[in-house]
Amino acid sequence: MKILSGNSNPELAGAIAAYLDLELTKASVRRFADEEIFVEIHENVRGEDVFVVQPTSAPANDNLMELLICIDALRRASARRITAVIPYFGYARQDRKSGSRTPISAKLVANLITVAGAHRVLSVDLHAGQIQGFFDIPTDNLFAATVMSADIEARLGKEAAITVVSPDVGGVVRARALAKRLGNAPLAIVDKRREKPGESEVMNIIGDVRGRTCVLVDDIVDSAGTLCNAAAALAEAGATAVTAYVTHGVLSGGAVARVESSALTELVITDTIAPLEAVRNASRIRIMTIAPLFAEAMRRTSEESSVSSLFD
């Protein structure tokens, strides 16, 4: 097997390769003066099982084009199988028509990746499970809950009074999965609603969190507004501490400053997206690597063995 990295998150690709005791495939992924992307692979990949590691995070369009051109270059170089490893799948939040005459961009991106020549896709914590069905090629959606649960137990201890909290009704399935891994920990839900246009959201806590260490779990943190408001509501409801575990740390705009001044004790994100300098320097944000999970899934894919058994 060979691993090719784009420019989106070379650190993660390097960590995956190091875990598998491999060298990254020698290639140039560069831009011409007019910003056109050019890819050249500097070693033989004919008949090889190649994994292209490229999150399509910001700048999403540039990173997506890099991925497509890398796949095309490998296909034309006669790679036997090309797996698009997309730790963070951009456009995932556009998974349905949100109104009249609006696109389903996640489906369009899936079509682009398939037509470019990918044989399968590997991602983690897709924003919506149905995105797997957008692809006409095999798609493995890994779960970061295994990495999160191990970290929570190591940090807080197995006997800690933990309550897993979903920041909205839509994330209950994800929160329940993590709670099950933590020995069937109690579950709570933050219900939010806006009484009138222009008024702030009212947060209601479904479940008892008084005297508990609350662990908020979500797949994406972007502006961090919902997460910080949920943390404040939990603190008001009597939670002793509030920690958040989120797979994809988009953290755009003033999100870092918002987290730093919030009721959150700590925000833990994975390295699916290359962190900005502000994220690295934040005192309340910790980055947890997900490279071993991807490396094991890639090894099993290459060996044609079970990937799902990683989560048993």
Side-chain angles (χ1 to χ4, degrees), residues 117-155:
H119 295 99
R120 66 185 307 126
V121 171
L122 186 62
S123 190
V124 61
D125 282 350
L126 288 168
H127 184 64
Q130 65 263 27
I131 292 173
Q132 294 175 83
F134 292 175
F135 289 92
D136 295 326
I137 54 178
T139 304
D140 290 312
N141 181 31
L142 307 180
F143 303 105
T146 53
V147 181
M148 291 178 179
S149 59
D151 188 80
I152 291 167
E153 289 180 348
R155 290 267 172 168

Side-chain angles (χ1 to χ4, degrees), residues 222-245:
D222 190 351
S223 65
T226 296
L227 212 60
C228 293
N229 289 341
L234 290 167
E236 288 178 13
T240 55
V242 183
T243 302
Y245 278 77

